Amino acid sequence: MMQQVVTGNRLADGVVIYLGQDGGWTSKIDAARVAADADEAKLLEDIAKAAEKARMVVGPYLIEVTDTAGAVTPVRYRERLRAYGPSVHPEFGRADVPDHLRMGSEAEFVHLNGVAG
């Protein structure tokens, strides 16, 4: 089974959040609690549904991740966008995300006149 974490949006401001290792909610995916098996994933899902009933989070769901040396990375592109920011330009990404994880950082920026920069 693929490793999973629970994500959703904070009700107060819509920020993407993850169920943390301490049972609270965090905006940093690296601090998310990773479920290694189906039983733990079900437990995390139940905790998230209770938080939704308590109006702390909106629409929680499980996502697949990889955990390599403590770096939790979403498998699907949609979830990487939610975790690290927009893909249109690295400068528009979240400031708290390391450069190597920023969306769009792998692409070379090209001006409309065709000059790279």
Side-chain angles (χ1 to χ4, degrees):
M1 181 190 127
M2 178 68 76
Q3 295 175 317
Q4 295 178 309
V5 300
V6 173
T7 185
N9 293 84
R10 190 166 45 211
L11 183 61
D13 57 11
V15 169
V16 175
I17 54 177
Y18 303 90
L19 183 58
Q21 297 167 3
D22 62 357
W25 293 88
T26 177
S27 61
K28 300 184 184 315
I29 193 168
D30 281 339
R33 181 173 170 180
V34 178
D37 58 41
D39 291 338
E40 190 173 6
K42 174 71 174 132
L43 173 65
L44 297 183
E45 196 170 33
D46 290 344
I47 293 170
K49 286 181 181 177
E52 185 175 35
K53 285 184 180 178
R55 299 184 180 189
M56 297 170 59
V57 61
V58 177
Y61 59 96
L62 291 164
I63 64 169
E64 294 179 345
V65 296
T66 60
D67 186 356
T68 307
V72 179
T73 305
V75 172
R76 299 184 69 120
Y77 185 74
R78 176 184 188 271
E79 299 305 331
R80 289 197 302 269
L81 282 174
R82 293 182 77 239
Y84 307 132
S87 62
V88 293
H89 195 281
E91 291 181 17
F92 300 134
R94 292 176 40 179
D96 61 338
V97 174
D99 287 341
H100 69 283
L101 292 175
R102 284 204 181 157
M103 301 301 293
S105 63
E106 68 281 355
E108 184 176 334
F109 181 74
V110 178
H111 294 277
L112 292 176
N113 64 4
V115 177

